[in-house]
């Protein structure tokens, strides 16, 4: 029937233990063998050792073998080889530019438990009366509900976008003019964002939390003893509309808490827009630091990619 979920990704990092400790603090559960899990989505991040930080694999859930067959013929038209496993459960292909391995896998759809809306008081609309706000009385650690999206910088923007969109079959939700493609393989506004960059690198991963208070509480906890982890936030994106806060993990890859992302059901007609300038980046919030688009280690990554 369709692609339906960004299931997991594998990130190679040079400092495995330190990076794993960071993601545990970020709220993911350590399941051993490099795997980290969310509350609703299960194992969604695998950390492995690598000479430099690198996105190694993305796994995408599909409904049935017909989805694999269709993706295989689309990829063939692009001149990209794809390998099906004999049981007809997976299809594996590599983006020629970024060398990211994409695995489409027949997987049951994720059914997230319904979480009731957080009551917020508004003008003429008192939703909580005689109580303190839920966001100020919560005491537990912030636990991401699921993986939302992964962002990859590529030196061939058109080819990588085409691999994911025209080959694998992700749908375009919006574009940043000449620089970014927001692509979805679920009802989320985006699950993969392809970014034009001077070197191939993993820009960030993003993780769903319950509401804006959880973003704030998560940021508060992560930054309390490590203010250097702060990258950008709090703000609201324009493309996807979500609230965001970005942090830097010990490998230099950014991780984001988000809530209230645009939802696009399969039967919904959605017309992608192309945003220019600041709109491509955000709607409101503090200005993004220059290191958001050009991370501090980009020159090192470029030097490393030439020597490898
Ligand atoms: Fe993001």
């Amino acid at each position: 029937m369709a692609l339906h979920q960004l299931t997991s990704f594998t990130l190679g990092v040079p400092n495995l233990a330190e990076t794993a400790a960071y993601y545990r603090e970020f709220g993911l559960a350590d399941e051993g063998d490099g795997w980290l899990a969310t509350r609703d989505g299960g194992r969604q991040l695998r950390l492995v050792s690598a000479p430099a930080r690198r996105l190694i694999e993305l796994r995408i859930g599909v409904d049935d073998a017909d989805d694999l067959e269709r993706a295989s013929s689309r990829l063939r038209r692009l001149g990209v080889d794809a390998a099906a496993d004999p049981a007809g459960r997976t299809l594996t292909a590599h983006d020629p530019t970024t060398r990211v391995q994409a695995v489409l896998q027949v997987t049951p759809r994720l059914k997230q438990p319904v979480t009731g809306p957080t009551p917020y008081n508004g003008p003429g609309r008192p939703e909580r009366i005689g109580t303190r706000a839920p966001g100020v009385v919560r005491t537990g650690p912030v636990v991401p509900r699921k993986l939302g999206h992964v962002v990859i910088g590529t030196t061939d923007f058109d080819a990588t976008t085409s691999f994911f969109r025209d080959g694998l079959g992700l749908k375009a939700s919006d574009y940043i003019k000449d620089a970014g493609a927001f692509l979805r393989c679920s009802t989320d506004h985006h699950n993969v964002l392809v970014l034009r960059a001077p070197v191939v690198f993993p820009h960030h991963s993003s993780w769903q939390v319950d509401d804006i208070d959880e973003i704030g509480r998560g940021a508060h906890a992560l930054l309390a003893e490590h203010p250097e982890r702060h990258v950008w936030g709090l703000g609201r994106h324009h493309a996807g509309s979500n609230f965001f806060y970005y942090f830097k993990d010990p490998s230099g890859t950014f991780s984001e808490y988000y809530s209230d992302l645009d939802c696009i059901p399969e039967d919904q007609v959605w017309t992608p827009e192309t945003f220019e300038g600041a709109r491509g980046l955000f709607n409101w919030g503090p200005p993004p630091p220059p290191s958001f688009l050009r991370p501090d280690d980009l020159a090192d990554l470029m030097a490393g990619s030439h020597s490898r």
Side-chain angles (χ1 to χ4, degrees), residues 21-136:
Y22 168 88
Y23 282 100
R24 286 194 295 270
E25 220 185 300
F26 188 78
L28 304 184
D30 194 333
E31 303 233 318
D33 202 23
W35 278 106
L36 292 134
T38 57
R39 180 180 290 174
D40 297 346
R43 293 180 171 194
Q44 300 207 279
L45 166 60
R46 188 170 194 209
L47 294 173
V48 299
S49 225
R53 64 192 184 98
R54 176 165 110 72
L55 180 61
I56 293 173
E57 183 183 88
L58 283 177
R59 294 184 92 87
I60 291 171
V62 308
D63 286 314
D64 52 43
D66 290 347
D67 298 315
L68 303 179
E69 193 55 48
R70 281 191 290 270
S72 178
S73 51
R74 281 190 305 259
L75 286 161
R76 208 175 308 124
R77 282 198 292 276
L78 291 183
V80 176
D81 288 335
D85 78 321
R89 306 294 289 176
T90 66
L91 184 80
T92 302
H94 295 82
D95 171 36
T97 309
T98 60
R99 296 184 297 130
V100 170
Q101 169 163 295
V103 182
L104 303 191
Q105 183 169 22
V106 177
T107 311
R109 292 194 172 221
L110 174 66
K111 279 235 181 328
Q112 286 192 278
V114 176
T115 303
T118 308
Y120 289 101
N121 286 340
R125 185 179 42 80
E127 290 183 350
R128 56 175 178 81
I129 298 166
T131 64
R132 298 182 200 280
V136 307

Side-chain angles (χ1 to χ4, degrees), residues 149 204 206 246 256:
H149 56 269
H204 73 266
S206 187
Y246 291 90
E256 174 189 15

Side-chain angles (χ1 to χ4, degrees), residues 53 199 201 248 251-253 294-302:
R53 64 192 184 98
V199 64
F201 76 104
K248 185 157 72 170
S251 79
T253 308
R294 294 227 157 205
D296 299 333
D297 63 349
L298 227 51
D300 291 344
L301 289 172
M302 286 168 80

Side-chain angles (χ1 to χ4, degrees), residues 168-188:
L168 296 177
L170 280 78
K171 291 180 181 157
S173 294
D174 284 311
Y175 294 96
I176 303 170
K177 191 170 191 291
D178 301 325
F182 294 90
L183 307 174
R184 66 182 189 276
C185 59
S186 73
T187 58
D188 295 334

Side-chain angles (χ1 to χ4, degrees), residues 93-248:
H94 295 82
D95 171 36
T97 309
T98 60
R99 296 184 297 130
V100 170
Q101 169 163 295
V103 182
L104 303 191
Q105 183 169 22
V106 177
T107 311
R109 292 194 172 221
L110 174 66
K111 279 235 181 328
Q112 286 192 278
V114 176
T115 303
T118 308
Y120 289 101
N121 286 340
R125 185 179 42 80
E127 290 183 350
R128 56 175 178 81
I129 298 166
T131 64
R132 298 182 200 280
V136 307
V137 295
R138 292 175 186 159
T139 53
V142 169
V143 178
R145 305 296 295 249
K146 68 163 192 174
L147 170 65
H149 56 269
V150 171
V151 181
I152 174 89
T154 175
T155 49
D156 191 336
F157 173 68
D158 292 334
T160 301
T161 301
S162 183
F163 172 78
F164 282 104
R165 183 193 56 202
D166 311 326
L168 296 177
L170 280 78
K171 291 180 181 157
S173 294
D174 284 311
Y175 294 96
I176 303 170
K177 191 170 191 291
D178 301 325
F182 294 90
L183 307 174
R184 66 182 189 276
C185 59
S186 73
T187 58
D188 295 334
H189 175 274
H190 55 285
N191 301 108
V192 173
L193 167 58
V194 179
L195 278 183
R196 183 187 296 278
V199 64
V200 171
F201 76 104
H203 186 276
H204 73 266
S205 62
S206 187
W207 303 83
Q208 182 190 52
V209 295
D210 287 351
D211 55 30
I212 189 170
D213 277 302
E214 290 304 89
I215 297 179
R217 289 195 333 109
H220 186 78
L222 274 179
L223 301 177
E225 289 180 12
H226 292 278
E228 76 283 0
R229 289 171 173 168
H230 168 85
V231 175
W232 185 29
L234 172 78
R236 193 158 179 133
H237 284 304
H238 191 79
S241 306
N242 56 296
F243 295 112
F244 66 80
Y245 208 120
Y246 291 90
F247 316 91
K248 185 157 72 170

